[in-house]
Amino acid sequence: MTTHVFAGCGSFMAGLCCIAKEMGHSVKAYDISFQPPMKHQLANAGITMIEGYDQVNIQPQDTVIVGNAISRGLPALEHLLENKHKVYSGAGWLSQQVLQHRNTIAIAGTHGKTTTTALTTWILDQMGLEPGFLLGGIPTNIPTSARLGHQPWFVIEADEYDTAYFDKRPKFFHYPARGLILNNLEYDHADIYENIQAICKQVKHYLQTLRPNTPVIYPANCDYLRPLMADAHWCQGIPTHSDQADQPWHLKPLSVDWSSFVIVDANQTHHTVSWSLIGKHNALNALNIAALLTHLGMETASIIQHMSTFKGVTKRMQAIPNTQQGQLLWDDFAHHPTAIASVLQTLKAREPNRRLVVYLQLANYTQREGLMWQDIIKATRLADLIFIQQQPGLFPYRQFAHEHHLDVIILDQANTTPEYVQSLLKPKDQIICCSSRDCSLFHQAVTAEIIEVNQ
C-alpha cells in the first residue's frame, strides 16, 4: 500500500509526507515542480518525487492526500473520483492519523506562527519530551519542518488557509487543541477572505470546537481577539500584555533590538531571555509561549532557559553572508505591511547610523494584487532606499514609486544584475529582503564579485 500526496512540495504537505514516511508508509509526492528547501527535505527522507500528474498509478488500497493547491479538473483527480476512490485533505488525514491521539498545541494568528511553532517545539524537545511537530519553515536547531515525535505532545502551525478543494474551512478546524496561541489577528489572504470580519468569524467557530477550559493565549491589545475571547467563556482565556508594566505576562526590553529582554509572569517574577533573535515581535512570541507552557504545567524558569538556545528559523531575520564593503544583508518572510514595518523598526533601532535598504518581492496574493499598496508605503517609511521586484498582478508599481517619499527602484528580470543593483548601494548599507518567496536572485546581485575588464 502506498500513500500518494498531491502538491507534495508545499511547506505543509512536504512535512506531512515526512510524517507519513516515519509512520512506515511508502510515500510518493507529486507536484508541478520541486524546489528547495522542501525538495531537499523530501530527498533526505527518502520520499519518491514525481514531477507532474501524468504518471499517477494508484491502486484501490492506496491512500490519496491532496493539498489545497489541487483543484477540480486535474485529470488524475477526476479519474480517482470517477472510480469512487477516497481522497483526504492533508489536515484531515493528519488529524485522523496523528492529532486525535496527541495533546496538540496549536499556533494561530496572522504573523509569527512559524517561529512560535518552532520555538515551542524546541523548548519541549530540550525538556526531553521529543514532541511531534509540523510547521511552515525549517528551524535552525532542528533541520526539518516536521517530525512524528513521541507521545503526548504535537505542536502545529494552525494556519487560516483553506483545507482542500472540497473543504473550504481553515485548516485549523482539524486541530483539536489542548492549548492554543492566537498571536495576533489582521486582514490578509484576500483570495480567501472578503474582509477581517470573515477571518474573525472562522476563529470564533474554531474556538467553539475547543474542549472546556482549554488555555488560549492572546494579546490583550488586539481589538479583534479581545471580544472573541470574551464570548468564548468555555475557554481559559489568558491575555498577555506586551509592555504594560502593571499587568501579568508582560515584557521589559534590555536592549534596543530586543535580543535581550525580561518576561514578567503572572506572579510578577522576572525571567531574562538573551538569544540570537532580534525584534519585539519575536519577544512577543516568546511571551505567549511562556504563558501557555506555564499554564500547561511546565516550569517557567525551565521554559525561559531553553528559549535562550533557540537559533530561529530560515528566512526569518536570517543573515545572508555578504563580503561587500561591510554591508549587512538580511532575509525575512515579512510580506504583510505590519510585518514589514516591524522588521524595519528593529533594524533601524539596531543600526541607526547605517542606511537602510529594503527589497520587496510581493508574491503573496493580497500584496501582489495591490490591495494594501498604500499600507506598504507607510510600512517602509523608515527605509532610505527601496527596491521592488515587479511581479504579475495588479500592484500599481509606478504609482507606488510616484507617491512614495523615498527613491523606489523597480526591478525586473533584466535589470536585477550585480552591476545595476550594486551601483545603487553604498558601503555599510543594511539591506533587508522582505518576501514570502525566494529572494536568491537579489541576494546574488548584492553579493556577487564584479570583475572589471580593462578595455
Side-chain angles (χ1 to χ4, degrees):
M1 185 177 76
T2 300
T3 296
H4 304 262
V5 181
F6 288 16
C9 198
S11 58
F12 173 79
M13 298 301 285
L16 185 142
C17 287
C18 294
I19 289 172
K21 181 74 172 182
E22 279 193 74
M23 294 172 70
H25 297 226
S26 173
V27 181
K28 290 184 178 180
Y30 304 80
D31 217 318
I32 298 301
S33 65
F34 290 83
Q35 302 292 333
M38 292 305 165
K39 175 182 178 180
H40 300 322
Q41 179 168 302
L42 292 169
N44 291 338
I47 292 168
T48 300
M49 290 175 277
I50 300 172
E51 287 199 358
Y53 298 92
D54 297 331
Q55 303 178 46
V56 177
N57 182 17
I58 297 172
Q59 302 302 312
Q61 71 273 19
D62 289 349
T63 298
V64 178
I65 308 171
V66 298
N68 61 4
I70 300 299
S71 303
R72 290 297 302 264
L74 182 71
L77 174 62
E78 297 301 319
H79 178 75
L80 289 168
L81 298 178
E82 177 69 25
N83 288 279
K84 300 181 180 180
H85 197 112
K86 173 70 175 176
V87 175
Y88 294 89
S89 69
W93 180 89
L94 184 70
S95 179
Q96 292 179 32
Q97 298 297 316
V98 180
L99 301 185
Q100 294 293 343
H101 313 293
R102 299 290 187 92
N103 288 337
T104 301
I105 295 175
I107 313 296
T110 308
H111 317 293
K113 292 185 295 291
T114 301
T115 299
T116 306
T117 305
L119 176 54
T120 304
T121 298
W122 175 249
I123 293 167
L124 296 179
D125 203 50
Q126 291 304 289
M127 289 180 172
L129 297 172
E130 298 184 58
F133 66 93
L134 199 163
L135 60 146
I138 299 179
T140 302
N141 301 69
I142 308 172
T144 180
S145 71
R147 181 178 70 191
L148 179 61
H150 298 291
Q151 294 277 8
W153 297 104
F154 196 99
V155 190
I156 190 159
E157 183 172 330
D159 70 72
E160 62 273 32
Y161 288 102
D162 56 353
T163 299
Y165 72 88
F166 57 86
D167 183 357
K168 290 304 176 183
R169 298 174 298 168
K171 289 202 286 291
F172 55 53
F173 273 97
H174 295 276
Y175 306 152
R178 172 67 179 83
L180 171 64
I181 292 176
L182 293 166
N183 270 334
N184 37 62
L185 192 60
E186 293 191 76
Y187 183 55
D188 202 359
H189 313 306
D191 49 336
I192 301 173
Y193 300 106
E194 182 179 356
N195 49 41
I196 184 63
Q197 287 73 28
I199 302 176
C200 290
K201 183 178 180 179
Q202 296 302 324
V203 175
K204 179 178 180 178
H205 291 335
Y206 179 46
L207 291 171
Q208 292 178 4
T209 71
L210 302 182
R211 293 181 300 176
N213 297 315
T214 298
V216 180
I217 310 300
Y218 68 99
N221 61 359
C222 180
D223 292 337
Y224 297 113
L225 288 176
R226 217 171 34 249
L228 291 176
M229 291 309 306
D231 289 342
H233 53 81
W234 54 90
C235 294
Q236 186 183 4
I238 303 154
T240 57
H241 293 91
S242 186
D243 48 8
Q244 291 182 255
D246 60 336
Q247 297 293 329
W249 294 113
H250 72 266
L251 296 170
K252 292 183 177 181
L254 296 178
S255 60
V256 294
D257 63 358
W258 289 88
S259 60
S260 182
F261 56 93
V262 171
I263 290 177
V264 183
D265 66 21
N267 298 316
Q268 294 299 312
T269 303
H270 289 48
H271 308 270
T272 300
V273 178
S274 294
W275 58 3
S276 60
L277 278 65
I278 58 175
K280 186 177 182 181
H281 57 290
N282 282 319
L284 290 169
N285 295 337
L287 177 67
N288 290 336
I289 293 168
L292 179 62
L293 296 185
T294 297
H295 279 81
L296 290 175
M298 300 170 201
E299 184 183 4
T300 310
S302 181
I303 296 166
I304 302 300
Q305 174 192 349
H306 298 309
M307 281 183 180
S308 296
T309 59
F310 181 64
K311 302 298 183 184
V313 180
T314 55
K315 202 169 169 56
R316 271 72 177 180
M317 293 304 291
Q318 179 182 6
I320 305 299
N322 181 23
T323 60
Q324 295 291 335
Q325 306 181 77
Q327 295 168 350
L328 299 177
L329 177 60
W330 301 88
D331 195 24
D332 194 79
F333 194 77
H335 52 277
H336 189 281
T338 300
I340 293 170
S342 179
V343 297
L344 265 58
Q345 184 178 16
T346 298
L347 293 177
K348 198 68 173 180
R350 190 172 189 264
E351 297 280 357
N353 297 322
R354 287 181 183 263
R355 197 173 70 141
L356 181 57
V357 178
V358 181
Y359 168 80
L360 301 173
Q361 183 183 193
L362 304 175
N364 171 275
Y365 178 89
T366 307
Q367 321 312 332
R368 190 179 68 236
E369 296 303 297
L371 298 179
M372 293 185 179
W373 70 272
Q374 291 169 316
D375 296 310
I376 296 174
I377 287 180
K378 295 175 184 176
T380 53
R381 62 184 178 81
L382 292 179
D384 297 291
L385 173 67
I386 297 172
F387 291 95
I388 187 165
Q389 192 81 46
Q390 191 157 355
Q391 306 282 323
L394 299 177
F395 188 90
Y397 289 94
R398 300 296 175 188
Q399 188 175 3
F400 176 84
H402 176 72
E403 295 197 14
H404 210 300
H405 70 283
L406 300 173
D407 290 334
V408 176
I409 310 301
I410 301 173
L411 296 176
D412 55 28
Q413 289 291 110
N415 67 0
T416 311
T417 64
E419 291 78 11
Y420 181 62
V421 169
Q422 291 185 28
S423 72
L424 298 168
L425 296 177
K426 295 181 179 180
K428 298 186 178 180
D429 275 349
Q430 184 168 218
I431 308 156
I432 173 70
C433 301
C434 296
S435 178
S436 59
R437 298 292 175 87
D438 177 65
C439 296
S440 58
L441 180 65
F442 185 76
H443 295 167
Q444 292 164 10
V446 172
T447 62
E449 294 288 343
I450 299 174
I451 300 174
E452 296 183 6
V453 178
N454 294 326
Q455 299 295 323

